[in-house]
């Protein structure tokens, strides 16, 4: 289920980037060929996906280091018997 939510979030971000990019280009009068815009869109998708995966894997260790957290074992008293 987590991977489906991840993919849906990436698609949603790409849709927003596409809409905002189109609006900004229309307002500023910038004209880009469809091939160049498609390449820019693909590059945005690659950088966005890789960046979010790196962030996902590094966030736990970064929080532990930043706040000096000490991991507590989840073993109860019965584990030591």
């Amino acid at each position: 289920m987590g991977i489906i939510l991840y993919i849906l979030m990436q698609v949603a971000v790409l849709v927003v980037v596409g809409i905002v990019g189109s609006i900004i280009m229309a307002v500023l009068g910038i004209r880009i060929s469809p091939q160049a815009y498609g390449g820019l869109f693909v590059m945005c998708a690659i950088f966005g996906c890789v960046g979010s995966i790196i962030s996902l894997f590094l966030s736990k260790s970064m929080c532990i280091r930043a706040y000096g957290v000490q991991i507590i074992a989840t073993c109860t008293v019965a584990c030591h018997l």
Side-chain angles (χ1 to χ4, degrees):
M1 184 66 175
I3 191 73
I4 293 171
L5 290 174
Y6 172 77
I7 291 170
L8 288 174
M9 179 57 101
Q10 294 303 320
V11 169
V13 167
L14 289 175
V15 168
V16 170
V17 166
I19 292 170
V20 170
S22 297
I23 292 170
I24 289 174
M25 288 191 315
V27 168
L28 297 177
I30 299 171
R31 298 188 190 272
I32 298 177
S33 68
Q35 293 85 12
Y37 192 67
L40 184 63
F41 197 70
V42 169
M43 188 173 70
C44 178
I46 291 171
F47 278 111
C49 290
V50 171
S52 64
I53 289 173
I54 290 171
S55 174
L56 176 69
F57 287 124
L58 290 178
S59 62
K60 182 177 178 181
S61 62
M62 287 174 61
C63 286
I64 289 172
R65 286 188 187 132
Y67 293 107
V69 175
Q70 187 176 24
I71 304 297
I72 300 173
T74 57
C75 190
T76 61
V77 176
C79 293
H80 298 292
L81 296 175

